[in-house]
Amino acid sequence: MSTFEAIAAKVRSAQRISTDEALTLFGSNDLLAIGELAALANEHKNGRNVFFNVNRHINPTNICVNRCAFCAFSRTSGEEGAYTLALDEICRRAGEAQDEGATEVHIVGGLHPDLPFEYYEEVLRAIRTAAPRLHIKAFTAVEIDYFARISGNSIQQVLERLKTAGLGSMPGGGAEILVEEVRQKICPEKIPGQRWLEIIRLAHRDGLKTNATMLYGHVETHADRVAHMDMLRRLQDDTCGFQAFIPLAFQPENSDLKLDIKGTSGLDDLKTLAIARIFLDNFDHIKAYWVMLGEKIAQVSLAFGVNDLDGTVVEEKIGHDAGAPSPQSLSKEGIISLIRKAGRIPVERDTLYRPLRVF
Ligand code: V47
Ligand code: SF4
């Protein structure tokens, strides 16, 4: 196995590290040394700029047939707290976001047992009419697979129809940990990891950019995290369609995964973000999602290889239903100040990472 010094030499000369080497980094407790390497890898790509965008999350329904064990957001139809937003309400929220300066809506929801595929096309069309300036980033690979099943369409047909209705790109959810043994424990009803990768490959081939997430801090091992990132790195070598990698720290409250844990540690969060920056040499952006990390760790992560902060959000349900202690939203000024105080340059971007304004 490589020593830390051998790995450091590779990172300094911009060479790719192996899965074994990533595991060595996970086994090390020298967080600052790992962070320094990640910061270097990031500086090569992004200098001192840190991206953020102004967006709003809308979750049209929390009714979901999958009921993943880690998910505190989903409900069964008829259960207390189950909801489905009316199209008018979705449009109202999108319009409000546009008026307040957002450039993106982020739309994901449960796999509803009764709504037809046409409903989701309607959602996109209605947003496009109500808020034509917003980029619509919507639907995970898990939802796309479900739409294909309920409509009898192929994945390609579903993607084409959604693009026609206004889909601009896709978020990175549903990946969880792509290793099958882990999925069997945390989300047995969800599509297999290989299917997630297949759908993302088709989306990339179709010209859609996507993100990739990793839900960590539950039953998975370090080897599982590395295997997950390796699958993403291989796909990215083929397609170049991923924009950002977003590690999601597991929030344990109200979830059916009865683990004796209080959530991830700050050390694990920073180490995971830093190793992701080092290992995923073909990803341009590593995004800290402050909703799951908390504002303070998100800010510190900017010295550990992270170059993208998500976002202003406004209202978030998935993490907060699971007990995330972070606030519901961060103002644009709040994000700018957080980046500035970390000694970096805040750059507002659009969904496709075109700079809109340097602060
Ligand atoms: O897929 C569910 C995760 C994801 C919990 O692409 C949980 O820009 C932690 O994917 N604790 C949805 N995480 C959110 C998501 C996302 C968020 C921000 C930006 C982007 C992007 C994507 O939330 C799900 C699942 O992995 N999740 N429950 C929980 N208890
Ligand atoms: Fe449904 Fe997604 Fe929650 Fe799983 S994570 S139960 S698919 S909403």
Side-chain angles (χ1 to χ4, degrees):
M1 204 174 245
S2 303
T3 61
F4 189 89
E5 253 328 296
I7 299 171
K10 275 192 168 178
V11 178
R12 288 193 196 104
S13 58
Q15 283 179 61
R16 177 167 279 195
I17 71 163
S18 68
T19 51
D20 277 349
E21 288 166 336
L23 261 182
T24 301
L25 293 181
F26 270 114
S28 159
N29 276 326
D30 197 344
L31 177 65
L32 292 183
I34 298 170
E36 198 180 336
L37 289 181
L40 183 73
N42 174 46
E43 208 165 313
H44 283 152
K45 287 181 185 289
N46 301 297
R48 299 193 71 73
N49 290 347
V50 171
F51 283 120
F52 70 95
N53 75 339
V54 182
N55 66 358
R56 177 157 189 176
H57 286 221
I58 303 175
N59 306 120
T61 181
N62 65 351
I63 299 174
C64 185
V65 296
N66 268 6
R67 302 309 309 267
C68 304
F70 59 80
C71 177
F73 161 75
S74 64
R75 298 284 185 281
T76 301
S77 192
E79 191 183 338
E80 199 187 329
Y83 74 84
T84 300
L85 297 179
L87 277 182
D88 279 358
E89 174 58 16
I90 295 175
C91 289
R92 192 193 64 74
R93 293 186 191 187
E96 193 178 85
Q98 180 174 272
D99 291 345
E100 288 169 2
T103 57
E104 168 190 294
V105 270
H106 172 137
I107 302 202
V108 295
L111 310 183
H112 195 287
D114 307 317
L115 291 170
F117 175 48
E118 287 71 20
Y119 167 81
Y120 303 94
E121 292 180 296
E122 246 342 278
V123 167
L124 298 179
R125 277 196 217 102
I127 293 175
R128 209 168 46 172
T129 307
R133 291 198 304 278
L134 293 182
H135 176 108
I136 308 177
K137 179 180 77 175
F139 308 131
T140 65
V142 175
E143 290 167 284
I144 300 294
D145 173 80
Y146 189 65
F147 298 159
R149 281 190 275 143
I150 60 176
S151 66
N153 284 184
S154 67
I155 298 295
Q156 286 93 334
Q157 287 167 326
V158 166
L159 293 172
E160 277 317 312
R161 284 176 63 176
L162 293 175
K163 273 179 19 182
T164 304
L167 182 71
S169 65
M170 285 166 57
E176 322 312 357
I177 291 283
L178 291 165
V179 175
E180 220 36 60
E181 300 84 81
V182 177
R183 285 179 107 70
Q184 282 308 314
K185 290 182 196 149
I186 65 168
C187 52
E189 305 297 329
K190 197 165 251 171
I191 54 170
Q194 284 308 321
R195 179 70 170 156
W196 188 93
L197 290 163
E198 188 184 327
I199 290 167
I200 295 290
R201 182 185 289 276
L202 290 170
H204 289 175
R205 194 174 291 165
D206 211 20
L208 284 163
K209 293 289 184 190
T210 79
N211 292 329
T213 55
M214 173 173 79
L215 180 70
Y216 69 96
H218 41 87
V219 304
E220 89 291 358
T221 61
H222 287 160
D224 293 326
R225 293 185 197 178
V226 173
H228 177 93
M229 290 194 284
D230 190 40
M231 290 184 229
L232 297 175
R233 190 168 77 171
R234 285 168 191 272
L235 179 54
Q236 179 75 331
D237 275 342
D238 288 349
T239 65
C240 279
F242 288 118
Q243 299 202 107
F245 178 64
I246 313 155
L248 297 170
F250 174 53
Q251 311 293 314
E253 253 179 55
N254 306 324
S255 101
D256 287 342
L257 264 190
K258 295 289 173 241
L259 302 171
D260 194 16
I261 49 170
K262 290 200 171 64
T264 58
S265 68
L267 186 127
D268 192 20
D269 294 333
L270 292 173
K271 201 199 271 189
T272 304
L273 287 159
I275 295 172
R277 175 59 292 160
I278 294 167
F279 184 78
L280 294 172
D281 59 341
N282 54 3
F283 277 64
D284 286 340
H285 311 289
I286 304 293
K287 191 197 273 194
Y289 188 44
W290 61 262
V291 170
M292 309 294 187
L293 294 168
E295 285 164 80
K296 291 183 180 181
I297 291 289
Q299 185 182 40
V300 176
S301 77
L302 303 181
F304 286 75
V306 166
N307 75 306
D308 191 13
L309 268 189
D310 192 344
T312 48
V313 183
V314 178
E315 183 196 28
E316 196 282 336
K317 291 198 71 62
I318 297 175
H320 286 99
D321 283 355
S326 53
Q328 275 290 340
S329 86
L330 255 184
S331 68
K332 184 168 165 177
E333 292 67 36
I335 290 199
I336 292 169
S337 152
L338 200 143
I339 296 171
R340 276 213 182 109
K341 285 182 179 156
R344 310 275 150 162
I345 303 160
V347 181
E348 185 181 350
R349 63 168 175 85
D350 69 6
T351 307
L352 300 174
Y353 286 82
R354 290 174 296 219
L356 297 176
R357 190 169 161 201
V358 180
F359 288 88

